[in-house]
Amino acid sequence: METDTARAALILSVAISTRYVYATYKKTPTTTNEAEAWEAAKKACGGLHFLAIQEDLDSENCLGFWLLLDLPPPPV
């Protein structure tokens, strides 16, 4: 998962050449700063991050949880 601040989107990469727009957000200076801070924190953790799925915005329950790790692409 990575941010695309130019398009104000979260991108889910699932293979070398397969990427999906997972979500979009309203582009503001605040959201751009948050996206850049998230990318910096993820880099500081060696690419470790997670994705939690909730039924709705007010839900306290987690329906799905994925632990993710950014890896460099393999040499070709």
Side-chain angles (χ1 to χ4, degrees):
M1 185 75 68
E2 64 190 82
T3 59
D4 182 340
T5 55
R7 294 180 8 191
L10 296 176
I11 308 297
L12 180 61
S13 299
V14 295
I16 290 176
S17 63
T18 306
R19 299 174 57 169
Y20 299 101
V21 175
Y22 178 75
T24 59
Y25 55 90
K26 184 176 180 179
K27 186 174 183 174
T28 67
T30 300
T31 58
T32 299
N33 288 339
E34 288 176 1
E36 290 170 348
W38 182 74
E39 286 291 342
K42 186 174 65 167
K43 184 177 180 180
C45 294
L48 187 64
H49 55 293
F50 67 90
L51 178 63
I53 306 298
Q54 294 175 282
E55 188 171 358
D56 57 53
L57 292 175
D58 297 323
S59 176
E60 293 186 18
N61 296 326
C62 183
L63 299 177
F65 185 86
W66 289 267
L67 190 58
L68 307 169
L69 179 63
D70 285 348
L71 296 174
V76 183

